[in-house]
Amino acid sequence: MQNNFNNAPHILVIDDSPEELRGIVGLLRQQPWRLSMASDPRQGYQRALALKPDLILLDVRMPGMDGFAVCRMLRESPATHRTPVIFLTSAGAVEERVEGLTLGSVDYVLKSCDPQEILARIRIHLQLSWREPASGSRSDDVEPANQDEVSLRVAMRLIAQNLADMPSLAEIACKAGTHEKRLSSIFREHLGSTVFAYIREVRIRRGQELLSDSAMDIQDIADQVGFRSACNFTTAFRERVGMTPSQYRQQAHMKDGQHPAGGRQE
């Protein structure tokens, strides 16, 4: 690591109970690193955008917005999408650990872990990420995205990943770091659409892809994209595309010079 303090790695800790981290914070202050703290998740997210730290220690269970929502927003923000995130938390359930890693964190550590081990893990991830700026990835001219745009990106990604079992609007909003009314306004302002109209549009587009690229039957495609039945899917598809799923598949395969795929139709 470099000796110049201004060029030293910068660690940001986001935790609403900093008193639980006395051991590791004490060790961090002994290192030739810069250290910043935030006890509120929204404040922590804003500090991450402003400070562009080299690594973030992030709690999960926090009031107002949990660490998973913060991580989603960090991953969708141009200024922080490459920043290593280590969850340091008491949330030790298997499903929580899996979700944290699935969101793109580089590590998931329980607060009961020995502070020296936590420090060792931080060192490893700093060594892996501490590189000269590449393609301006750490430069100050990275175009910032405002919070509404970030929440929109998070919501759009969540929708695309959960077509078959769509969360409620309240759950999508919470995971995107906002609330129902604000998320609805964001969709109208940026996409000119309601959240539900957008979801239906994405479902139909995904249905078109599956009809063109797979031999799945209509019922299976309906299940895959979140319709209750092949009949409901067919009705919505005809209203949007102007033809039935079977007709669309046949037309797509004729354009590709293929024979129409088999399978049960609507």
Side-chain angles (χ1 to χ4, degrees), residues 19-55:
E19 65 277 1
E20 296 180 1
L21 303 178
R22 288 175 185 167
I24 185 60
V25 168
L27 285 175
L28 290 174
R29 294 193 187 281
Q30 295 173 23
Q31 311 307 310
W33 305 336
R34 291 176 289 162
L35 180 64
S36 297
M37 305 284 293
S39 58
D40 176 83
R42 295 186 187 279
Q43 176 197 55
Y45 169 70
Q46 293 299 331
R47 286 192 177 179
L49 297 184
L51 300 174
K52 299 183 180 67
D54 296 285
L55 185 142

Side-chain angles (χ1 to χ4, degrees), residues 64-92:
M65 180 167 64
D66 67 21
F68 294 149
V70 175
C71 190
R72 289 187 191 93
M73 295 173 70
L74 292 170
R75 287 291 165 259
E76 296 296 341
S77 300
T80 56
H81 75 283
R82 294 178 180 271
T83 306
V85 172
I86 297 178
F87 281 108
L88 179 57
T89 177
S90 58

Side-chain angles (χ1 to χ4, degrees), residues 151-172:
S151 292
L152 177 63
R153 292 178 190 177
V154 173
M156 292 170 68
R157 189 181 298 276
L158 284 167
I159 289 167
Q161 292 172 341
N162 294 277
L163 290 179
D165 187 19
M166 189 63 59
S168 67
L169 178 57
E171 188 175 354
I172 293 172

